[in-house]
Amino acid sequence: MPHKPESAPHPTTLRAVRAALLDHYDRHARDLPWRRTRDPYAIWVSEIMLQQTRVDTVLRYYDRFLERFPNLGSLARAEEDAVLAAWSGLGYYRRARLLHAGVREVVARYGGEVPEGAEARRSLPGIGRYTAGAIGSIAFDRQEPLVDGNVARVFARIFALDTPITRSDTQAVLWALAEQLVVGERPGALNQALMELGALTCTKAAPSCTACPVQTHCRAHETGRARELPVVVKKRPPARRQLVAVLAQDQAAERLLLLRSETGLFAGLWNLPMAEGHDREAARALLGTLGVRARLDPQPVAELEHVLTHRHLMIQLFRARLSSFDARDSLRLQPRTELEQLGVSALTRKALGFWPEPAAQVTRVTRAPKTLASAKRAE
Ligand code: SF4
């Protein structure tokens, strides 16, 4: 059975909370570019970008992405590399791949129009319950609920939920509350008002109860527990991993060897060759495995630290003078001036601060005729 708040909120309370939220939102909402449109595609892009990413970061990418792919059709027609390049720097590239797959499915199954029906929307790649609710309420004015981290925190405080917000029974309560609250006019504005309250007023570390429009309805405030709630289960720190990475450059230091792996930490992105390990031997073994012949510097040029959600990476970065390598589709020599055309991981971008450096003549070894084409393409 789902955990219930101390007592289910009275409809009058919900109406009052609703009205206070909308009024506050109308007067204080931030002017954000995705709030100036009802285009479901543009709202979809913004919602995917905003997952696990701060608003000020998304602001640096959103307009540029929409200039590059102004409508759903243009994104659907794009090559994955172009999509990842436009996403480059935002991180969590799986989101971009799923967005790309999602819009392609909209073209294939729905004639290029984002479906209004919630079930159809939720069946698209990358669209879960939250994103479906955001698009449904904001773009189509449908009374569809949503719960994200901000909304969960706000509800946990207003309704004094005492169980961890990630627990499935608490989640059921949160969604039930969101469903009740979204009923009425302007569901999109209501959902955004809830998220805005969590982002600006009822923040994780310092809820501003004195400036809060729902203060008089808030049980956490009433009982002095605003900073105690919500109940969160402590996450384990990200696991540490030692890696080596190699900046292998050509003679003129104009082209850099990049590798794309289909699996692993940066699947689908172009990266410096990278492997588990912490010393020159590991770097040499890595190059050997890839069929790359290069003279490695005796010492690493830097030790980089890179923290992902579940991984804390320590990377010994070696420079190398490239002499030859076996051609394959997953390896390419990329000119410095054309890096923007590729989806490159944030870690590799960080390492690029240690490039360039002059190196020896590069020759390319091709072992199989079918790889010749890719070798030409890479150049
Ligand atoms: Fe959050 Fe305080 Fe407002 Fe309650 S009164 S919702 S704890 S900011």
Side-chain angles (χ1 to χ4, degrees):
M1 283 288 288
H3 169 82
K4 296 221 165 26
E6 280 172 35
S7 60
H10 193 276
T12 314
T13 306
L14 288 176
R15 276 199 296 277
V17 167
R18 203 176 191 288
L21 282 169
L22 281 172
D23 177 63
H24 187 74
Y25 183 70
D26 288 343
R27 286 186 289 125
H28 300 291
R30 286 169 293 179
D31 178 25
L32 300 171
W34 47 89
R35 290 184 175 161
R36 298 178 212 135
T37 178
R38 298 291 293 273
D39 174 3
Y41 162 69
I43 290 164
W44 185 358
V45 169
S46 72
E47 289 298 336
I48 300 297
M49 284 188 172
L50 286 162
Q51 288 168 13
Q52 294 156 305
T53 305
R54 295 166 57 88
V55 166
D56 48 0
T57 304
V58 173
L59 284 171
R60 296 204 304 270
Y61 291 87
Y62 176 78
D63 285 338
R64 209 168 59 199
F65 190 89
L66 286 184
E67 273 166 29
R68 178 79 179 78
F69 307 112
N71 50 47
L72 193 143
S74 58
L75 182 58
R77 285 190 299 276
E79 295 293 331
E80 185 175 280
D81 265 345
V83 178
L84 294 177
W87 201 271
S88 196
L90 261 173
Y92 302 102
Y93 292 88
R94 187 165 177 270
R95 296 179 301 175
R97 281 194 288 272
L98 287 171
L99 172 65
H100 193 211
V103 298
R104 285 186 161 181
E105 196 159 320
V106 168
V107 169
R109 284 174 55 194
Y110 302 104
E113 299 288 334
V114 178
E116 281 203 33
E119 283 309 308
R121 249 178 291 125
R122 283 188 62 184
S123 72
L124 296 169
I127 296 201
R129 197 173 178 185
Y130 164 81
T131 309
I135 299 171
S137 61
I138 300 168
F140 298 123
D141 218 20
R142 291 168 60 105
Q143 295 176 9
E144 292 182 26
L146 59 76
V147 175
D148 70 349
N150 281 324
V151 175
R153 181 172 62 255
V154 167
F155 282 169
R157 286 174 175 164
I158 298 178
F159 303 109
L161 305 181
D162 280 314
T163 50
I165 47 172
T166 47
R167 225 166 74 178
S168 60
D169 55 351
T170 318
Q171 281 288 313
V173 172
L174 293 168
W175 279 94
L177 287 165
E179 261 169 37
Q180 291 173 65
L181 208 58
V182 81
V183 175
E185 290 180 357
R186 304 175 64 209
L190 186 279
N191 279 338
Q192 291 183 91
L194 267 173
M195 293 190 282
E196 190 86 333
L197 189 76
L200 300 183
T201 309
C202 192
T203 60
K204 199 190 278 186
S208 310
C209 300
T210 49
C212 179
V214 297
Q215 186 201 101
T216 52
H217 310 287
C218 178
R219 291 188 197 157
H221 174 68
E222 187 187 333
T223 55
R225 300 177 63 212
R227 284 170 192 268
E228 282 171 35
L229 295 174
V231 178
V232 278
V233 179
K234 263 199 165 174
K235 281 192 210 151
R236 277 188 296 178
R240 286 178 84 88
R241 275 177 72 181
Q242 285 281 351
L243 300 178
V244 289
V246 181
L247 267 168
Q249 57 198 327
D250 72 350
Q251 181 182 26
E254 283 175 356
R255 294 182 302 169
L256 183 70
L257 191 70
L258 294 177
L259 170 74
R260 177 155 73 176
S261 347
E262 293 309 321
T263 56
L265 283 176
F266 303 108
L269 295 174
W270 290 94
N271 292 290
L272 297 185
M274 236 176 275
E276 299 275 351
H278 62 276
D279 57 13
R280 190 168 180 271
E281 270 314 297
R284 207 159 60 163
L286 162 66
L287 295 181
T289 308
L290 294 172
V292 174
R293 285 156 291 279
R295 187 137 55 89
L296 271 171
D297 284 1
Q299 299 296 331
V301 65
E303 182 175 41
L304 305 177
E305 188 171 15
H306 195 69
V307 182
L308 303 164
T309 317
H310 304 296
R311 295 276 184 273
H312 187 149
L313 308 177
M314 299 301 298
I315 306 108
Q316 298 292 331
L317 179 66
F318 288 87
R319 285 199 291 217
R321 299 167 179 221
L322 191 54
S323 54
S324 67
F325 64 96
D326 300 343
R328 57 168 87 181
D329 286 347
S330 57
L331 270 183
R332 69 193 297 168
L333 261 183
Q334 186 71 4
R336 177 212 302 267
T337 51
E338 293 171 20
L339 277 169
E340 292 303 319
Q341 294 168 13
L342 291 182
V344 174
S345 74
L347 171 55
T348 290
R349 281 182 182 281
K350 203 183 275 183
L352 290 178
F354 297 90
W355 184 42
E357 187 214 38
Q361 177 67 43
V362 177
T363 57
R364 175 183 280 267
V365 175
T366 54
R367 286 197 172 151
K370 80 179 174 103
T371 58
L372 283 171
S374 64
K376 282 198 184 109
R377 200 169 59 240
E379 290 170 355

